Amino acid sequence: MLDNNMQEAQSGIIEHTEFDIHTMKLMIEFIHTGNYTVTVDDPQLTVTQPNAKTAATTIDEDEVAVLPIDIKEFSTPLRNALITYARAFGIANYYNIESMKTMAEQTFGSLLPYGWVAEHNVDALLDVLVEVCKVTTRGDEGIRRKSIDLTTHALQHLHNDNDAAFFLDFVHHEESAVRAFVFEVLHAAAGRLRAYHRDYTALSNRHEEQTLRYEKESTTREESDARNVKAVAKLRTQKDGELAELRAEHHAEIKRLCTPKDKVITKVQVEKDAEITALRTQKDREIARLRAEKDAEVNKLAGLKDQVLATVCAGKDSEMKKVCTTKDQAFAKLSAEIDAELARRAVEKDAQIEFHKNGFDRLAEREANGILASRGEIKLARADIKGLLHFIKSLRVS
């Protein structure tokens, strides 16, 4: 353009009416550096900043937030940034600068809010959508498709007058490019509605099929349950009869095992008591005999003593005293020997009685061990019966 003999070459001025100077600066910066910086304090954006900190806010390509932005957090600086990226996309598309176009599209998509609440900055969102309509044409992809998806999503949330007011303002906007955009939004909404209808019809058909299949399965299951109930009742009756027979056999076996052992224990205890009584009687008789012999010996010695005393009394008093002393010593010695003999014989009799008693105790212990063994067998039989009862109960539960 500047190399030819054209007005721009003569005047040194290129007049560009499609885009503003701020957008031209972004393109020139990208051509020279491969990047561009978007600021939200450009006077041409006619932004009213809430405070000084917000006015100095700068959104760079390398600092774009990764997480999506909620519509409730949509602010005026974000509205300005989206408008700037839309214009950057428009001029890159106009001059076919693909790298700048891709960068603007990605950043625009990451800053576009999600959700819909009509009370939160919908005027700012309306400005962004109108700007997209200006810089794109019908059928374009990229930021126009993203904006159509956002508007279609919002169109699904018409709940009150505020929602309707937003769409009325958008449809009746004075910008002519908005009409084609609105047509695409309605076309997309109709496509979604048709898709929802197809999905709903398919879901309804699938639900009906599942309902019929469930009813059929329920009928089959009820019939199977009825058959199982009858089978369980029959099995329960059979097992109850078997259990009654086993209980009767168990009680008869216990009675049969316990009766002989009880008789043996009673017999052993009677024999043991009789033997102990006999031994005690024999011991008492032996003690009585020994005492009688001792008394007879004592009486004999006393008679001899009296005779000696009578003889000695007739003689010398001194000799009599001597003889009395000797006889007293002999009598004391004999009494001690007799007492020792009686004690020795009493110990022997006690040992004999203890020996016989221990013998009967061992015999009773052997018989008791036999009884305990029989009781162990009874316990094993009871354990087997309990296991069978548990098995029958499990069959009843199933």
Side-chain angles (χ1 to χ4, degrees):
M1 182 183 295
L2 296 178
D3 294 337
N4 299 325
N5 189 17
M6 300 180 68
Q7 182 179 354
E8 288 81 3
Q10 298 295 328
S11 62
I13 299 174
I14 300 176
E15 183 177 359
H16 198 294
T17 59
E18 286 81 0
F19 299 97
D20 59 275
I21 188 171
H22 177 74
T23 307
M24 292 296 297
K25 289 180 180 180
L26 293 179
M27 184 185 69
I28 295 172
E29 180 182 358
F30 183 83
I31 292 173
H32 284 282
T33 64
N35 197 358
Y36 57 87
T37 302
V38 176
T39 59
V40 297
D41 56 349
D42 190 345
Q44 294 193 28
L45 293 176
T46 64
V47 179
T48 303
Q49 302 293 349
N51 51 50
K53 182 178 181 180
T54 305
T57 302
T58 300
I59 303 176
D60 190 75
E61 287 290 344
D62 298 330
E63 299 177 356
V64 175
V66 177
L67 295 177
I69 299 172
D70 194 340
I71 188 66
K72 297 178 181 179
E73 301 175 359
F74 193 65
S75 60
T76 302
L78 188 59
R79 166 257 189 198
N80 297 335
L82 286 170
I83 291 176
T84 303
Y85 281 114
R87 292 175 179 176
F89 178 87
I91 196 171
N93 188 40
Y94 185 84
Y95 286 104
N96 199 21
I97 307 174
E98 291 296 331
S99 56
M100 182 178 178
K101 179 180 175 181
T102 302
M103 183 180 297
E105 178 184 349
Q106 292 176 352
T107 310
F108 182 89
S110 64
L111 294 178
L112 201 64
Y114 69 90
W116 174 254
V117 180
E119 290 79 6
H120 292 276
N121 296 323
V122 292
D123 293 336
L125 181 61
L126 182 61
D127 294 339
V128 173
L129 296 177
V130 171
E131 189 63 33
V132 170
C133 295
K134 291 179 180 179
V135 299
T136 59
T137 59
R138 182 175 179 178
D140 286 348
E141 297 295 329
I143 64 173
R144 188 179 182 92
R145 173 52 53 190
K146 296 180 186 299
S147 300
I148 290 174
D149 292 340
L150 174 64
T151 310
T152 304
H153 175 73
L155 189 62
Q156 300 174 10
H157 297 80
L158 287 174
H159 299 302
N160 50 43
D161 294 340
N162 292 328
D163 299 331
F166 169 79
F167 285 101
L168 288 175
D169 293 341
F170 187 56
V171 170
H172 296 292
H173 198 276
E174 59 184 7
E175 181 63 39
S176 59
V178 173
R179 297 187 182 89
F181 186 86
V182 170
F183 175 80
E184 292 183 61
V185 169
L186 294 177
H187 181 73
R192 288 192 180 185
L193 184 60
R194 288 192 296 271
Y196 290 156
H197 178 70
R198 288 195 302 270
D199 294 341
Y200 177 77
T201 302
L203 183 62
S204 299
N205 294 333
R206 186 163 60 252
H207 178 69
E208 291 178 359
E209 293 175 359
Q210 291 176 352
T211 302
L212 293 175
R213 185 167 59 253
Y214 175 76
E215 291 177 354
K216 184 177 179 181
E217 291 176 355
S218 298
T219 304
T220 305
R221 187 163 51 250
E222 289 175 357
E223 294 175 354
S224 177
D225 291 342
R227 289 193 298 269
N228 292 334
V229 168
K230 292 180 180 179
V232 169
K234 182 179 179 181
L235 182 61
R236 183 177 300 170
T237 303
Q238 180 182 356
K239 294 301 179 181
D240 288 340
E242 294 177 358
L243 179 60
E245 294 177 358
L246 288 174
R247 283 177 178 173
E249 293 176 359
H250 171 66
H251 291 310
E253 184 68 18
I254 292 175
K255 186 176 180 180
R256 185 182 65 80
L257 292 174
C258 292
T259 301
K261 297 299 180 181
D262 292 339
K263 291 181 179 180
V264 171
I265 292 173
T266 303
K267 181 179 178 181
V268 170
Q269 288 179 349
V270 171
E271 292 176 353
K272 180 179 177 183
D273 292 338
E275 187 69 22
I276 292 172
T277 303
L279 290 174
R280 285 178 179 175
T281 303
Q282 184 180 358
K283 179 181 177 182
D284 293 338
R285 290 175 181 175
E286 188 69 22
I287 292 172
R289 186 181 62 79
L290 290 173
R291 284 178 179 175
E293 291 176 356
K294 179 181 177 183
D295 292 339
E297 190 71 23
V298 170
N299 290 332
K300 182 179 180 181
L301 290 174
L304 292 174
K305 180 180 178 182
D306 291 339
Q307 292 177 4
V308 171
L309 286 175
T311 303
V312 173
C313 288
K316 298 178 181 179
D317 292 334
S318 60
E319 187 67 23
M320 184 185 64
K321 292 180 180 180
K322 181 178 179 181
V323 172
C324 288
T325 303
T326 303
K327 292 297 181 180
D328 290 336
Q329 292 177 353
F331 178 78
K333 182 179 180 180
L334 182 61
S335 296
E337 291 175 355
I338 292 171
D339 292 335
E341 182 66 19
L342 290 174
R344 184 181 64 78
R345 291 184 179 184
V347 170
E348 289 178 355
K349 291 297 180 181
D350 291 336
Q352 291 177 1
I353 292 172
E354 187 68 20
F355 175 77
H356 288 293
K357 183 180 179 180
N358 291 334
F360 282 112
D361 289 340
R362 287 193 295 272
L363 178 59
E365 184 178 2
R366 286 196 299 271
E367 292 297 332
N369 290 333
I371 293 170
L372 291 176
S374 298
R375 290 180 177 177
E377 295 175 358
I378 293 171
K379 288 182 179 180
L380 291 176
R382 288 178 178 175
D384 293 337
I385 292 173
K386 287 182 179 179
L388 182 58
L389 290 175
H390 180 70
F391 173 72
I392 293 172
K393 289 181 179 179
S394 64
L395 288 177
R396 289 180 175 179
V397 173
S398 63

